[in-house]
Amino acid sequence: MDKNLKEHLMSYLLGRLSCQDVAEIITEYLEGAMSLSNRIRFHMHLGMCRDCRNYLEQMKATVQTLGKLPPEPISPHVREELLRRFQHWKKG
Amino acid sequence: MLFFEWLTIALALPVIPPGRDESELLDGLRKGDEQAFAEAVDRYSGSLLRVAMAYVPSQAVAEEVVQETWMGVFEGLSRFEGRSSFKTWLFTILTNRAKTRGTRESRYVAFAEKTGSEDDDEWGGVDLDSFIQSGSKAGHWIEPPHAWDHGTPERLALSKESREQIEQAIEALPATQRQVITFRDLEGLSSDEVCNILQVTETNQRVLLHRARSRVRRTLAQYVKGDLG
Ligand SMILES: [Zn+2]
């Protein structure tokens, strides 16, 4: 069978995902919560679609960015109050 | 450098104990060691405050919730068995305090009304206006996403302006979405831990995470396009 035809037939049988579908199930993919058949369809779409590959990379980069944001320290007066309460608790 | 020279300098420096690991820290707390407590406060309070902000309407109330959380630690320390990490245990105490606090705060009602409508939020995380809705190209991107270069996360995290954009995007999220993205992506908890703390199903957690991440990504995409691109 012609390779192209085979691919088309496969994607038809598996159910082709649109870019919108990909964007809607991307977290399912990143969370490893996707069924095998959806994962195959997902990868097939990505193999053919640079836009969605970019989207996936943007999503991963977003998560990475959020992981690089340190929390702001608490204000010194709250910190002092806490240490004071700890001393109090220790005595009580 | 001569050995004695080095020794003089070394002895003159204040003794800074190396960072204790979690169990050492807990031992210290149980013994009432103030150093250990100060270290625990410095290590975790920023995270606690950030999470508290996802529950209550103001910085002042969030700070009180953080204080109450540490009070809860004093009370519960002898019962803590280490089945979860110390940080996850802290978050569990915090969310309980924050929720109790939330119901007492009259302002919380306004806050909940503003942000608590996510249960009927029909929005699936992706804007329909990002995609062609009819014709042979239906389902395709209207404005295809660009490739971000490799160093983008570092650059975004270092830029004050982009950090502010991220903060605003997260603040604008419905409360439960904000809670989930804070736990998962800012604090690095696992989905199991978050499901436990929030008492939601895995699917529910994932849907909330998806919506939250999609919105933050969109904000970043606009920022990257405008300022870095
Ligand atoms: Zn696509």
Side-chain angles (χ1 to χ4, degrees):
Chain A
M1 203 190 295
D2 174 48
K3 194 167 168 259
N4 252 335
L5 182 65
K6 200 171 161 185
E7 262 175 30
H8 274 105
L9 191 62
M10 279 285 284
S11 67
Y12 174 75
L13 289 172
L14 288 163
R16 193 190 279 273
L17 295 178
S18 69
C19 298
Q20 188 176 333
D21 295 330
V22 165
E24 274 164 10
I25 60 175
I26 202 151
T27 305
E28 221 174 288
Y29 173 76
L30 290 171
E31 293 280 279
M34 210 176 243
S35 66
L36 180 63
S37 67
N38 265 352
R39 214 154 60 227
I40 294 169
R41 293 158 80 190
F42 189 86
H43 280 295
M44 283 180 62
H45 183 102
L46 248 61
M48 296 180 294
C49 181
R50 177 201 292 267
D51 299 341
C52 286
R53 285 200 297 276
N54 286 344
Y55 187 73
L56 177 63
E57 290 311 312
Q58 286 192 6
M59 213 51 172
K60 287 181 182 169
T62 299
V63 176
Q64 277 173 28
T65 305
L66 294 177
K68 289 179 193 296
L69 303 175
E72 298 281 327
I74 51 164
S75 60
H77 78 269
V78 175
R79 187 179 183 275
E80 268 164 43
E81 174 69 15
L82 275 169
L83 299 184
R84 201 185 55 72
R85 287 198 197 183
F86 183 73
Q87 285 171 344
H88 187 76
W89 171 74
K90 227 171 72 177
K91 283 184 206 133
Chain B
M1 195 192 295
L2 287 171
F3 173 72
F4 287 108
E5 237 179 292
W6 173 83
L7 191 65
T8 325
I9 294 166
L11 288 175
L13 290 170
V15 182
I16 302 163
R20 302 166 219 228
D21 70 24
E22 211 175 271
S23 67
E24 288 169 330
L25 210 54
L26 275 164
D27 281 347
L29 291 183
R30 289 193 174 110
K31 284 182 201 137
D33 175 355
E34 278 173 43
Q35 277 298 140
F37 182 68
E39 204 176 317
V41 163
D42 292 339
R43 195 181 298 178
Y44 300 111
S45 293
S47 292
L48 291 172
L49 186 65
R50 178 153 86 173
V51 170
M53 289 296 290
Y55 283 87
V56 297
S58 73
Q59 172 104 12
V61 178
E63 282 175 349
E64 285 170 29
V65 169
V66 171
Q67 300 225 16
E68 287 175 17
T69 302
W70 285 111
M71 301 303 110
V73 170
F74 302 162
E75 290 161 19
L77 202 54
S78 58
R79 291 191 304 276
F80 177 64
E81 291 166 350
R83 265 179 287 154
S84 64
S85 74
F86 184 54
K87 191 173 166 186
T88 305
W89 183 59
L90 287 175
F91 285 146
T92 309
I93 300 172
L94 178 108
T95 50
N96 289 330
R97 305 273 156 157
K99 277 189 269 181
T100 318
R101 189 55 190 253
T103 52
R104 283 209 306 266
E105 288 286 322
S106 57
R107 269 181 305 170
Y108 183 77
V109 179
F111 178 70
E113 276 169 6
K114 190 182 91 187
T115 59
S117 60
E118 64 263 30
D119 289 338
D120 12 86
D121 189 350
E122 293 293 319
W123 188 70
V126 178
D127 291 289
L128 289 180
D129 60 15
S130 300
F131 298 94
I132 299 163
Q133 287 306 307
S134 59
S136 62
K137 288 243 149 212
H140 281 265
W141 297 96
I142 292 170
E143 226 182 294
H146 293 281
W148 289 356
D149 69 60
H150 189 69
T152 304
E154 272 82 11
R155 272 212 306 282
L156 290 171
L158 287 173
S159 144
K160 188 165 176 282
E161 205 187 328
S162 88
R163 284 204 307 271
E164 280 167 6
Q165 298 266 324
I166 295 169
E167 267 167 42
Q168 283 168 17
I170 292 177
E171 273 169 32
L173 292 171
T176 51
Q177 288 182 31
R178 180 173 176 182
Q179 287 153 18
V180 170
I181 201 169
T182 304
F183 280 131
R184 287 295 309 279
D185 293 341
L186 296 171
E187 294 300 333
L189 265 56
S190 71
S191 77
D192 280 353
E193 289 173 313
V194 176
C195 290
N196 268 326
I197 292 172
L198 294 177
Q199 296 289 304
V200 293
T201 63
E202 206 189 311
T203 307
N204 202 344
Q205 190 258 167
R206 196 171 59 238
V207 169
L208 294 166
L209 181 64
H210 176 68
R211 291 175 182 178
R213 278 183 183 169
S214 300
R215 284 186 178 170
V216 174
R217 186 219 56 95
R218 192 168 56 142
T219 302
L220 286 180
Q222 281 159 0
Y223 179 77
V224 170
K225 204 169 103 185
D227 290 67
L228 299 175

